[in-house]
Amino acid sequence: MNRRIDLVIVDILIMVDGALSPDGGLLFLTRLRQQSPSRPFKTPREIPAIAMSGAVNNYWTKDLLNTAQSFGATEILAKPFPPAHLLELVARLTADHGPPVRPSAR
């Protein structure tokens, strides 16, 4: 809880043992955005989040990325995507964060 979080990247749908897990990216985004600001850094509502999914071409999942934005995703990506695009998003979303904070040795 005392480490700075610069960015969150989530996959919306997560398969575990061949079945969809109920603990996918939408649930994570919801929990993140509802957290109390208990850190000395950005509050959970301010942490940039990238949500991605490869299931956006299915009829029942075509609106998942839009739903992710309503759940708090800053940016969305449909898989497959060029790795350079992800790197550009990460660079843009973390540009104002400065150097990483190192955990103190205790």
Side-chain angles (χ1 to χ4, degrees):
M1 292 301 290
N2 60 359
R3 292 187 181 145
R4 182 176 79 190
I5 298 172
D6 293 329
L7 175 73
V8 173
I9 300 175
V10 298
D11 200 334
I12 296 172
L13 299 176
I14 299 172
M15 298 290 284
V16 176
D17 297 327
L20 284 177
S21 169
D23 293 331
L26 295 179
L27 180 59
F28 180 84
L29 285 171
T30 301
R31 288 179 177 166
L32 174 70
R33 299 306 187 208
Q34 292 175 347
Q35 292 295 313
S36 297
S38 59
R39 302 169 192 267
F41 311 112
K42 286 189 175 281
T43 68
R45 291 186 184 276
E46 296 171 324
I47 297 169
I50 299 172
M52 63 180 72
S53 181
V56 295
N57 296 319
N58 297 331
Y59 175 75
W60 62 278
T61 58
K62 67 180 179 176
D63 293 326
L64 276 177
L65 292 175
N66 293 331
T67 301
Q69 282 188 307
S70 70
F71 278 60
T74 311
E75 294 287 344
I76 53 175
L77 286 173
K79 293 192 265 182
F81 52 83
H85 186 60
L86 175 61
L87 294 174
E88 289 170 15
L89 285 176
V90 169
R92 183 170 52 80
L93 294 173
T94 60
D96 66 337
H97 289 226
V101 173
R102 304 280 182 230
S104 60
R106 292 184 189 220

